[in-house]
Amino acid sequence: MDSNNSGDRSERLETLVQRLRLYNERHQNPVTEREAVDSQDSYSVAVSSTKKRAAVLVCLFEGNDGDLRVFLTKRSSNLSSHSGEVALPGGKREENDADDAGTALREAKEEIGLDPSLVNVVTILDPIFTKNGIIVVPVIGILPDRNSFIPVPNTAEVDAIFDAPLEMFLKDENRRAEEREWMGYKYLLHFFDYEAEGDKYVIWALTAGILINVASVVYQCPPAFQERRPKFWSGLESLANHNNT
């Protein structure tokens, strides 16, 4: 690798790290477990009474062309839930996890063999509330040296590991959307078609929503399409407010 190109990449990643940390300081208002439980209690009629917390790792790195890319997995076809779907590395909080970043890093190591020491966690985005009562926290991490990581899939959980350009989640290309309705509120689910090494993948629903948000934050611009995120992703209080207007 050309040393000048390597230096340029390091500088670009460092600039991104500083910008994301600044975003974190200005915009982040973390929802604690207690606040999340209180919020869910306020609309428990609409969601499961079981309170669960999970985290996913949005691990960004620079590709050979200098573009920002993100690691994704295809979940094992043998899993009982969301089998065969594309997902970000992640999973449910465990008792020994220090925080959401710890959950995301642990799960990434278990699923794709990513050593936590290789990742620089820079931003934790606002939690997303699912209809099933799970709180999903997106954790953004930077992998400074792509060559330091050799993906090793945990075959019990992962059928494939691939990466995709982050910017594609802002473009109105290879994308379609379906309108859904829940509790009288209509929203869009986005589907992105992507091909890697001859294999075709569909990145959709929550994973697509998280990556649209991450790309918007990283590139500091909105997507080139109408997003219409589910209001319940922000907490069902916003949906209740919508229904009362």
Side-chain angles (χ1 to χ4, degrees), residues 38-40 42-43 231-232 234-244:
D38 290 343
S39 178
Q40 282 191 320
S42 69
Y43 45 75
K231 281 188 175 292
F232 55 79
S234 300
L236 290 188
E237 285 182 346
S238 61
L239 185 57
N241 292 336
H242 167 83
N243 289 335
N244 289 332

Side-chain angles (χ1 to χ4, degrees), residues 39 43 127-131 180-189 227-245:
S39 178
Y43 45 75
I128 295 174
F129 296 76
T130 73
K131 290 187 294 185
R180 303 287 177 88
E181 182 175 344
W182 193 65
M183 292 182 65
Y185 174 73
K186 294 181 180 180
Y187 59 93
L188 293 178
L189 282 185
E227 188 175 4
R228 278 175 55 192
R229 292 164 64 88
K231 281 188 175 292
F232 55 79
W233 281 2
S234 300
L236 290 188
E237 285 182 346
S238 61
L239 185 57
N241 292 336
H242 167 83
N243 289 335
N244 289 332
T245 58

